[in-house]
Amino acid sequence: MALQFHGLGTAAVFAPLESSSRSELVARRLTDAIALGLLADGEQLPGEADLAATFGVSTVTVREALASLRHDGLIQTRRGRGGGSFVRTPSDGPAAIARRRLDSFSLLDLRDLGDLYVAVAGTCAALAARRSSPEDIDRLHRAAERLSAAESAGERRRADAHFHVEVAVAAQSPRLFHEEVALQAEFGTLLWLAFGDDTSHADVVRSCRAVVEAVERRDTATARTAAEQRVADATARLIDFRLGQEGS
């Protein structure tokens, strides 16, 4: 018998479950770490048993995930003494990973992720304005300056991610912090595909400073609005970028 949905809330509860297998989820987590620069080129991954214990899965699942990463050219496995699995960052860096992932998202997916990120970023900024310590605000200023001084695309991407995380830290909410980190991995790397030129970088720096200034003034409404607008603008640019790819 078909389920009768009474309102969007009930429909959301009974929406199809995520189809990814556990090995796909492990592979995605490791890919995210490579894309974010948390795992550097040439770095050796922990052994299969250690990875299995870390992720709470079987060694068979880890083996399948590593095979997927090898197929995508993101790791290289060496046998024998001193062997193991080693990270192979693509020649054009994390952007190659992000472009590959972008192809797997529909425009509706991108808009939905953008809406979620707007909500999380805005709430983090508002809570940071209410709860942050002087030390938190100092870290936010330093994070904004680090972003301003960044020159290469990779440095700018990492500095932007670091700024977002610092705002989440200043919000003093463990759950929001974990949401921010997860969104950085899933969506933050995609947003930077639509940036890179000096003009867009200057816009990003200005938006960061607007958030910091509002947090420092304890202006929760302005902090929320500045953070939400920052993510909304980045999402709009990404959707335009994706549309441009489809039209080329």
Side-chain angles (χ1 to χ4, degrees):
M1 183 181 73
L3 286 169
Q4 298 298 312
F5 295 139
H6 302 286
L8 294 177
T10 307
V13 169
F14 291 99
L17 297 174
E18 187 174 346
S19 60
S20 301
S21 67
R22 291 172 74 80
S23 63
E24 288 173 332
L25 293 174
V26 171
R28 184 188 304 168
R29 190 78 63 85
L30 293 172
T31 300
D32 289 340
I34 296 171
L36 288 169
L38 301 176
L39 293 174
D41 186 49
E43 183 172 345
Q44 184 174 5
L45 296 179
E48 290 180 357
D50 290 332
L51 285 173
T54 298
F55 291 119
V57 298
S58 69
T59 53
V60 173
T61 296
V62 169
R63 205 166 294 135
E64 291 174 351
L66 295 179
S68 174
L69 293 179
R70 274 194 299 274
H71 179 268
D72 291 340
L74 297 178
I75 64 169
Q76 179 182 36
T77 300
R78 304 171 194 162
R79 305 296 179 188
R81 187 174 181 179
S85 295
F86 298 83
V87 174
R88 292 182 60 192
T89 303
S91 57
D92 55 350
I97 301 173
R99 281 194 294 271
R100 190 182 308 159
R101 175 169 294 171
L102 180 63
D103 291 339
S104 69
F105 285 104
S106 68
L107 292 176
L108 183 60
D109 290 334
L110 294 178
R111 189 183 68 181
D112 194 41
L113 276 169
D115 289 344
L116 174 60
Y117 206 178
V118 163
V120 170
T123 303
C124 282
L127 289 177
R130 187 181 308 161
R131 301 173 176 174
S132 60
S133 66
E135 291 76 17
D136 290 327
I137 293 173
D138 285 343
R139 285 197 300 270
L140 288 176
H141 277 294
R142 289 197 298 272
E145 288 308 312
R146 175 184 172 187
L147 177 59
S148 177
E151 296 184 355
S152 70
E155 289 173 343
R156 291 173 176 177
R157 174 181 48 78
R158 287 189 293 272
D160 182 67
H162 176 70
F163 177 81
H164 274 280
V165 169
E166 286 292 355
V167 174
V169 169
Q172 299 182 26
S173 168
R175 287 182 181 273
L176 279 173
F177 173 80
H178 287 301
E179 282 294 328
E180 173 61 47
V181 172
L183 282 166
Q184 274 297 323
E186 184 175 13
F187 195 50
T189 52
L190 298 181
L191 291 176
W192 271 91
L193 288 173
F195 289 88
D197 59 275
D198 290 340
T199 300
S200 63
H201 176 61
D203 291 340
V204 170
V205 171
R206 277 193 295 273
S207 67
C208 281
R209 287 176 170 157
V211 172
V212 177
E213 290 167 3
V215 169
E216 191 167 26
R217 294 195 310 269
R218 305 297 182 185
D219 186 342
T220 58
T222 301
R224 180 188 293 275
T225 299
E228 289 178 346
Q229 191 61 52
R230 183 170 186 266
V231 175
D233 289 345
T235 302
R237 288 182 67 113
L238 178 63
I239 290 174
D240 286 344
F241 176 83
R242 173 63 182 273
L243 289 171
Q245 279 194 318
E246 291 179 353
S248 61

